[in-house]
Amino acid sequence: MNLPRKKNQFPRWVQILILLVVLAVLWYQQRGPGPSQPSPDGDGESPTTIVVENDVVRGVVVRDESGDVVYRGNVLLSKTLERIKAEEELEWHPNDGEFFGNFERRLPQKKRGYYREWVHPTPGLRGPGPQRIVTGQAGEIWYTPDHYENFYSIAP
């Protein structure tokens, strides 16, 4: 038996959609901004500089694309930095050594093709993981532990 709907009642699919949107907003707010998020006005301010001693980044929190922590600790970048210097690309990852588009606009705006991205493998994860090193044509180096959410400038 179908009961007539009240005039102000939303269809069930609209109620579910509203609930999903509310849950997504709450999840995003709980995640919070990372330590080097750019300012909302996109002023192109340089990312935070971190200290790297002997190619070790200390106290890193590595997050996957869903925001989950997949590693905490120190990250040794020397093998990847040596590979970059030699311009050796990983055969198993098609984007390694390729141009980085900076579509997230978290690095200073430069002409297309200015940046290159390099995979820094994450221990314990299959595939490339979320860590990357991005290099600029003028010798700049940035490290991202969370697949382009946050960038840290590595002073040469």
Side-chain angles (χ1 to χ4, degrees), residues 125-155:
L125 292 184
R126 288 182 151 188
Q131 297 183 93
R132 299 288 185 276
I133 292 178
V134 176
T135 57
Q137 289 179 356
E140 312 97 303
I141 302 173
W142 289 274
Y143 165 72
T144 174
D146 48 19
H147 205 258
Y148 318 127
E149 281 295 316
N150 298 286
F151 283 91
Y152 302 94
S153 177
I154 298 176

Side-chain angles (χ1 to χ4, degrees), residues 10-12 16 22 55 67-68 75 77 79 84 87 117 122 130 139:
F10 290 108
R12 186 87 169 145
I16 293 171
V22 168
D55 297 332
D68 295 332
V75 175
L77 299 177
K79 285 185 181 180
I84 292 169
E87 293 195 18
E117 71 173 285
T122 303

Side-chain angles (χ1 to χ4, degrees), residues 14-124:
V14 172
Q15 294 173 353
I16 293 171
L17 182 62
I18 291 170
L19 177 64
L20 289 174
V21 169
V22 168
L23 290 174
V25 168
L26 290 173
W27 173 81
Y28 184 77
Q29 288 175 340
Q30 284 180 340
R31 232 180 115 199
S36 69
Q37 292 276 348
S39 59
D41 58 3
D43 62 4
E45 190 176 311
S46 294
T48 304
T49 300
I50 58 174
V51 177
V52 179
E53 295 178 26
N54 300 322
D55 297 332
V56 176
V57 184
R58 303 209 180 275
V60 175
V61 176
V62 178
R63 295 181 184 273
D64 63 15
E65 290 183 45
S66 65
D68 295 332
V69 175
V70 294
Y71 177 80
R72 286 183 196 268
N74 299 334
V75 175
L76 179 63
L77 299 177
S78 56
K79 285 185 181 180
T80 303
L81 293 172
E82 289 170 12
R83 187 169 55 80
I84 292 169
K85 189 174 182 178
E87 293 195 18
E88 295 174 2
E89 298 175 11
L90 294 174
E91 293 178 13
W92 53 267
H93 193 276
N95 291 340
D96 189 64
E98 294 297 316
F99 291 113
F100 174 69
N102 193 26
F103 301 120
E104 297 83 1
R105 296 184 177 191
R106 297 213 166 92
L107 295 178
Q109 292 297 301
K110 300 290 184 181
K111 66 180 187 224
R112 182 178 167 90
Y114 183 86
Y115 297 113
R116 290 176 73 182
E117 71 173 285
W118 305 85
V119 172
H120 181 73
T122 303

